[in-house]
Amino acid sequence: MSTTPLAPAASPAPEASHAPGASPRPVAHPSYLGVDTTLRSWLLTTDHKRIGVLYLVTLLATMALGGFFALALRIEHLTPNATIVSAMTYNRMFTLHGVIMVWLFLIPSIPSSFGNFVLPMMVGAKDVAFPRLNLLSYWIFVAGSILVLLSTGIGGIDTGWTFYPPYSSISATAVPLALLGVFIIGFSTILTGLNFIVTTHTMRAKGVGWMRLPLFVWSIYATSIIQVLATPVLGMVLLFVVVDNGLGWGLFDPARGGDPVLYQHLFWFYSHPAVYIMVLPGMGVVSEVVASYARKNPFSYKAIAYSSLGIAFVGFLTWGHHMFVAGMSKFDAGAFGVLSMLVAVFSAIKVFNWTWTLKRGAVALKTPLLYIFAFLFLFVFGGMTGVATASMSLDVHWHDTYFIVAHFHFIMVGGTLTAFLAGLHYWFPKMCGRMYPERLGMLSAALVFAGFFVTFFPQFLLGNAGMPRRYFNYPPQFQVLHIVSTVGSWVLAAGLILTAFYFLWSLRWGAPAGPNPWGSRSFEWRTASPPPKHNFRREPPFEIDPYDYTQPLPDEVYQ
Amino acid sequence: MDILRAILALPSGGSTVADRIDLLHGFVITVTMLVSTFVFVTAAWFTARYHRKQDDQLTENVSATRGGEAVLIVGILSMFLLWWVIGFRQYVEVRDPPEGSEVVYVDAKQWMWKFAYADGRVSNDALTVPVGRPIKLVMTSRDVIHSFYVPGFRVKQDVLPGRYTTLWFEVKEPGTYPIWCAEYCGVSHSLMRGEVRALGADDYARWKRQGDRPPPDADCGRGPGSCGDTSLVEQGRLVAERRQCVACHTLDGQKHIGPTWARLYGSERVLADGRRVIADEGYLTRSMMEPTADVVAGYREVMPSYRGTLTAGETSALVELIRSLRDAPAPSGITLPRLEVTAASDGGTSP
Ligand code: HEM
Ligand SMILES: [Cu+2]
Ligand SMILES: [Cu+2]
């Protein structure tokens, strides 16, 4: 297997030079990093690339915070009763862990960082359609996140990330503040989605038709549609809980005439589509990475592109599968079950397409591709356990147990997080102009995969055995599996910390990447790394397809 | 079966539905394992087989065929639909209590389970049932949402405030089976545990004679300490008088300001807006808590809401009373003279 570190496609270092002969202006242009280096120029930037980097740095910080809570939760479960914290603290921690990971990390993760950075380049544009709105979206996100984190300071919140009333209507913790924070973050989600939709429609360069868009654009486009349509429902329902809890309205509290099941319908009307907000962008990364390292066209471009839209659409019709035992009619339950099966078929189509893209390719095994293999295994497993829970009699047993916890972590961590890490390794050279150390990358990918599996696989078994989720005390017969799971979380953490170290190291000492270290045909690789402020110095003709590996890549770099 | 359970870490199957559900479980999980391994191995094999040989290697375009795609989609979809068909049928079975189930009322609150049996006794956290007979639980909560979960029976149902939900099971073997609350309900959620004690016929008969006495402060509808030997139906009668339901409803089949309760339970109700619903526990409680939600055709909307007035214990007693009247003699058709009762007392807290 090729582990030769960094054999970039023989291009010279980015800032020192430019592609031979092709560029019309023989001077080196400052990269987007070099144009202006003041703090102010960063905080008030409207450059999509800088905003992407701002998001990336912020999101890595929130992920670290969420991860810190996760490790603490796992340590708590080393023993059946109190280990390091009290029950109340435990409840606040799992709530914060969930809220941070879902709204402060996973939902914006890939779209706001890599989407912002590469989507405009992929469509051949200078920037997104509304650059200032983009900056606003970032600061709204920061403001909302600060509110959420402030709520920790004034008592935290102990309802679980699902905020089910009437518990959330009467909980004495800082529910209103935290929910307002999430509410505000919602605006950022909507603005980003809107921006990407308009950018994809109106900013495509000449020659970049819909069927020539890199597949990542398709998946971000589908995600954006969900973001724009579903997030308002979340906003509304969260406000209702805020007035219930803060002002005693009782819209969802039966003691005051409200209906708690209505809340669940509204919440999942957003939150099931939201799971696709989290996973569709990851699927986009997979499509890019697989094609680039296999040097081959996708097995079926259209199937991958359209199934993204299919998921976005049918994903809106399955929310009821979260409520099979919440008190819904048998007919409704059956209908939601069957619709859930449909949405899974779209994902299955993608999985087989990615795998068969490797066939007759010229595959180079690099860290991102290793992560994609982890993704394939974990996502298929996690997705099929989703289908299993939609086989309704099984869900009666599994609902609200560790089985469900394992199911969604397989997809959200095993799927989205590994895709995020794949994307990080894949585009890092583009963002910073430097390579990461390949061997260490492979090592940490292996650690992340192993750690993840050891952490979450036992949770399927715990769920089968009947261990309910959100339990502080647990019956002692579950201790062995809990210990295994906790040890796994340390391996996972080790892999991630190692990754953080070598990326920091590479920022300064990594080998120069050159414009296109992977030999990809996708448009973002046709400019320098890091790219100049306006992405392409000349209007590029994009004469060859983003997945055309039948002919050599023209030498020209449009920097 | 035992091997399957051991591999999947499932508890032994104590109820009549457990075996079939576990078989489906085994089937579904086996396919899941096989498919994910298959995808992973195929990807790894392609990677090894089509390894990049030189740095600027080119490849031919390879594309899926329409036929291949169709076969794939149909294959996957039929596997999923097969699971759904089996799962849905089992789900319906788990949800529909068989005719003639024995009823126990469950009253959940932070952080305990209270059980009220038809003969008037109550117990906390321990539910005693006979083996070999279907048991139907009619459940409500006094505060937040809880979820009644017996892993050994493979059944679970959320327990909601202001509504009644039902769950049934039939135990196969005598023994004790843990009950865990599965819906997060606050700081002691994980301590909200109980157990089902399933007794053989003899033991059950003995328990019926002696039983666990109700705790002295138990609430059977007349405030703390009101649990005596009166059966739940008897208590229901008392509540109906105390809360003045009988000002508008009769128990003997006669029409009054409101419909009679005789033969009401289980019958089909025609509502003012044309809908037809079966009068089950859910409908009955809704009629008390939210009378305007389902107005019976031919009656005026004069019944006050009892939400927040009736305690959960009182509500169970009333529902049990109405259930006991399902086989009452046929209505005589006489209409009592109308008393001018206004809904003024808004729930009538005075005795
Ligand atoms: C593709 C990405 C997916 C993600 C990110 C995802 C995520 C989640 C999450 C977060 C939950 C638990 C929510 C909670 O209760 O806190 C969940 C539950 C569930 N998922 Fe998925 N899921 C995905 C795919 C699927 C698929 C394809 C299906 C079915 C076809 C499915 C079926 C279910 C069901 C039935 C539940 C509810 C189980 C229960 O609470 O009893 N999921 N999923
Ligand atoms: Cu869902
Ligand atoms: Cu609970």
Side-chain angles (χ1 to χ4, degrees):
Chain A
M1 304 256 139
S2 156
T3 45
T4 8
L6 340 166
S11 306
E15 271 147 280
S17 175
H18 49 88
S23 174
R25 312 235 323 245
V27 279
H29 310 299
S31 76
Y32 79 102
L33 296 172
V35 280
D36 199 349
T37 49
T38 58
L39 183 64
R40 189 188 145 86
S41 76
W42 272 93
L43 298 184
L44 296 178
T45 180
T46 54
D47 179 352
H48 68 100
K49 295 182 288 303
R50 284 192 166 199
I51 294 179
V53 172
L54 282 180
Y55 261 118
L56 186 62
V57 172
T58 315
L59 293 173
L60 289 173
T62 52
M63 181 180 97
L65 187 62
F68 167 78
F69 284 121
L71 287 174
L73 291 170
R74 281 316 322 162
I75 290 175
E76 172 54 45
H77 274 340
L78 280 173
T79 67
N81 295 307
T83 313
I84 50 169
V85 294
S86 68
M88 194 59 195
T89 312
Y90 177 81
N91 295 349
R92 288 177 181 156
M93 282 201 310
F94 73 63
T95 307
L96 264 166
H97 164 71
V99 171
I100 290 176
M101 285 305 199
V102 169
W103 283 292
L104 274 61
F105 174 63
L106 272 177
I107 288 196
S109 61
I110 294 176
S112 297
S113 57
F114 305 135
N116 256 322
F117 197 94
V118 298
L119 184 131
M121 285 192 256
M122 283 179 161
V123 303
K126 285 199 171 107
D127 207 316
V128 290
F130 308 116
R132 271 172 300 182
L133 219 51
N134 206 12
L135 179 65
L136 179 65
S137 154
Y138 173 73
W139 284 110
I140 292 179
F141 174 75
V142 171
S145 304
I146 289 178
L147 277 197
V148 171
L149 298 180
L150 268 186
S151 74
T152 330
I154 59 157
I157 155 169
D158 72 335
T159 60
W161 76 280
T162 46
F163 314 126
Y164 271 20
Y167 188 71
S168 61
S169 323
I170 56 178
S171 166
T173 50
V175 174
L177 192 62
L179 265 55
L180 276 178
V182 177
F183 175 75
I184 289 171
I185 290 176
F187 285 99
S188 149
T189 312
I190 297 173
L191 290 181
T192 300
L194 209 61
N195 224 333
F196 288 155
I197 293 177
V198 179
T199 305
T200 314
H201 274 276
T202 63
M203 307 279 286
R204 279 172 291 127
K206 222 185 266 131
V208 184
W210 283 89
M211 285 300 139
R212 280 188 85 188
L213 287 173
L215 287 164
F216 182 71
V217 178
W218 274 99
S219 70
I220 294 287
Y221 181 80
T223 309
S224 303
I225 294 179
I226 310 180
Q227 289 180 337
V228 170
L229 293 182
T231 314
V233 179
L234 175 76
M236 177 190 74
V237 74
L238 290 182
L239 270 196
F240 285 174
V241 176
V242 169
V243 294
D244 261 21
N245 184 296
L247 310 176
W249 277 25
L251 290 163
F252 298 125
D253 182 2
R256 289 171 272 175
D259 182 352
V261 178
L262 176 65
Y263 170 86
Q264 298 180 19
H265 280 290
L266 293 172
F267 180 80
W268 290 112
F269 184 87
Y270 163 80
S271 285
H272 185 80
V275 307
Y276 292 106
I277 298 180
M278 299 181 227
V279 85
L280 266 171
M283 295 171 153
V285 175
V286 178
S287 305
E288 293 305 314
V289 171
V290 168
S292 277
Y293 293 99
R295 287 265 166 89
K296 226 192 99 278
N297 69 317
F299 193 55
S300 170
Y301 177 94
K302 285 195 175 155
I304 298 184
Y306 290 150
S307 58
S308 293
L309 295 183
I311 288 177
F313 179 67
V314 184
F316 273 101
L317 307 176
T318 63
W319 78 89
H321 64 214
H322 297 272
M323 302 171 58
F324 287 147
V325 302
M328 62 161 46
S329 78
K330 283 167 293 206
F331 177 84
D332 290 1
F336 282 121
V338 126
L339 286 164
S340 306
M341 306 280 163
L342 281 189
V343 78
V345 172
F346 290 115
S347 307
I349 294 174
K350 282 177 181 278
V351 165
F352 284 97
N353 267 302
W354 293 322
T355 313
W356 260 257
T357 298
L358 296 167
K359 195 177 170 188
R360 300 221 225 122
V363 191
L365 191 62
K366 294 277 158 67
T367 309
L369 193 62
L370 214 52
Y371 273 114
I372 297 308
F373 287 171
F375 176 99
L376 283 178
F377 181 74
L378 301 174
F379 176 73
V380 174
F381 200 98
M384 289 189 64
T385 53
V387 183
T389 44
S391 311
M392 310 155 69
S393 59
L394 298 176
D395 189 53
V396 173
H397 180 57
W398 284 333
H399 174 71
D400 266 337
T401 66
Y402 265 69
F403 190 96
I404 300 304
V405 177
H407 154 69
F408 65 77
H409 279 91
F410 260 61
I411 293 177
M412 307 207 312
V413 180
T416 307
L417 186 72
T418 48
F420 178 83
L421 289 169
L424 195 58
H425 288 83
Y426 178 65
W427 282 307
F428 181 79
K430 179 56 52 186
M431 298 176 126
C432 313
R434 296 194 181 268
M435 301 299 292
Y436 60 87
E438 192 64 54
R439 276 167 204 273
L440 279 180
M442 297 247 189
L443 173 66
S444 56
L447 280 180
V448 167
F449 177 77
F452 172 84
F453 195 81
V454 177
T455 309
F456 290 102
F457 190 78
Q459 300 191 358
F460 280 121
L461 300 177
L462 281 170
N464 279 349
M467 162 96 199
R469 65 195 280 207
R470 298 173 177 169
Y471 261 30
F472 172 72
N473 305 90
Y474 61 84
Q477 71 260 34
F478 296 137
Q479 191 173 9
V480 174
L481 286 172
H482 272 303
I483 291 177
V484 174
S485 176
T486 303
V487 172
S489 71
W490 298 337
V491 178
L492 179 56
L496 292 176
I497 291 171
L498 178 60
T499 312
F501 272 113
Y502 68 68
F503 271 126
L504 286 176
W505 177 86
S506 315
L507 277 179
R508 221 190 139 95
W509 292 287
N516 192 357
W518 314 124
S520 170
R521 303 299 193 255
S522 187
F523 303 139
E524 80 272 24
W525 298 102
R526 307 286 301 273
T527 181
S529 320
K533 183 153 193 281
H534 289 302
N535 300 343
F536 305 98
R537 271 284 155 166
R538 294 190 289 122
E539 178 100 321
F542 293 131
E543 67 288 5
I544 78 167
D545 231 59
Y547 300 113
D548 184 355
Y549 291 95
T550 59
Q551 40 178 317
L553 185 67
D555 267 343
E556 197 171 2
V557 175
Y558 301 101
Q559 73 151 333
Chain B
M1 206 72 207
D2 289 342
I3 300 173
L4 178 74
R5 288 201 173 113
I7 295 174
L8 295 175
L10 286 165
S12 63
S15 72
T16 47
V17 292
D19 283 358
R20 265 164 300 146
I21 292 181
D22 291 354
L23 276 181
L24 178 63
H25 187 152
F27 173 43
V28 166
I29 291 300
T30 310
V31 176
T32 301
M33 294 261 195
L34 289 178
V35 174
S36 38
T37 311
F38 169 75
V39 169
F40 187 73
V41 169
T42 314
W45 190 76
F46 283 155
T47 305
R49 167 78 183 67
Y50 302 106
H51 190 246
R52 191 179 297 174
K53 307 213 173 50
Q54 71 214 55
D55 234 11
D56 49 0
Q57 197 176 336
L58 298 177
T59 59
E60 285 308 304
N61 278 348
V62 182
S63 288
T65 57
R66 246 160 230 259
E69 281 178 341
V71 168
L72 181 78
I73 294 177
V74 172
I76 296 172
L77 194 59
S78 16
M79 172 59 71
F80 289 171
L81 286 181
L82 175 67
W83 293 357
W84 177 80
V85 169
I86 306 175
F88 181 55
R89 292 176 53 147
Q90 292 179 350
Y91 177 79
V92 170
E93 187 184 330
V94 173
R95 284 281 301 268
D96 275 342
E99 283 292 308
S101 306
E102 219 164 280
V103 175
V104 179
Y105 291 88
V106 181
D107 188 6
K109 61 175 253 209
Q110 285 169 328
W111 289 280
M112 62 194 292
W113 301 99
K114 290 171 155 254
F115 302 99
Y117 304 85
D119 60 5
R121 25 165 129 217
V122 293
S123 62
N124 286 342
D125 293 337
L127 168 63
T128 308
V129 298
V131 296
R133 254 193 282 162
I135 309 294
K136 168 171 163 184
L137 304 183
V138 177
M139 310 187 287
T140 192
S141 161
R142 291 196 192 185
D143 35 48
V144 298
I145 303 179
H146 303 276
S147 192
F148 185 91
Y149 177 35
V150 184
F153 299 164
R154 314 285 188 272
V155 292
K156 175 183 297 122
Q157 173 64 50
D158 284 4
V159 181
L160 300 154
R163 286 194 195 198
Y164 275 65
T165 51
T166 60
L167 170 146
W168 81 273
F169 56 82
E170 180 178 331
V171 193
K172 282 194 303 193
E173 304 279 334
T176 58
Y177 303 86
I179 303 168
W180 289 326
C181 177
E183 182 64 60
Y184 175 68
C185 57
V187 65
S188 296
H189 165 55
S190 60
L191 295 176
M192 186 163 162
R193 306 184 203 163
E195 64 183 17
V196 178
R197 296 186 187 144
L199 303 179
D202 295 346
D203 288 338
Y204 185 67
R206 190 168 324 120
W207 175 81
K208 276 226 140 182
R209 263 181 280 118
Q210 326 169 337
D212 356 289
R213 291 275 112 197
D217 65 339
D219 170 11
C220 291
R222 275 169 296 154
S226 61
C227 289
D229 282 328
T230 38
S231 71
L232 208 53
V233 173
E234 219 26 70
Q235 291 162 25
R237 268 181 222 282
L238 296 173
V239 177
E241 278 165 28
R242 197 152 37 83
R243 296 291 189 187
Q244 297 181 330
C245 313
V246 287
C248 303
H249 295 281
T250 69
L251 311 188
D252 59 2
Q254 302 184 65
K255 225 170 133 183
H256 198 20
I257 297 172
T260 176
W261 289 350
R263 297 180 160 253
L264 167 60
Y265 179 81
S267 69
E268 191 186 65
R269 313 301 298 160
V270 182
L271 303 183
D273 56 10
R275 280 178 301 136
R276 286 160 184 272
V277 292
I278 301 293
D280 56 9
E281 289 83 1
Y283 168 83
L284 293 178
T285 16
R286 204 164 48 250
S287 296
M288 300 176 207
M289 306 307 168
E290 250 176 285
T292 47
D294 305 311
V295 177
V296 183
Y299 292 89
R300 291 193 295 138
E301 280 186 40
V302 292
M303 172 162 163
S305 165
Y306 287 88
R307 168 167 279 141
T309 317
L310 290 176
T311 67
E314 288 177 322
T315 317
S316 330
L318 284 169
V319 173
E320 183 62 20
L321 169 67
I322 297 178
R323 276 170 45 88
S324 75
L325 298 172
R326 81 189 106 166
D327 299 322
S332 59
I334 307 170
T335 308
L336 290 179
R338 286 198 171 217
L339 300 170
E340 234 359 275
V341 185
T342 54
S345 55
D346 191 8
T349 11
S350 58

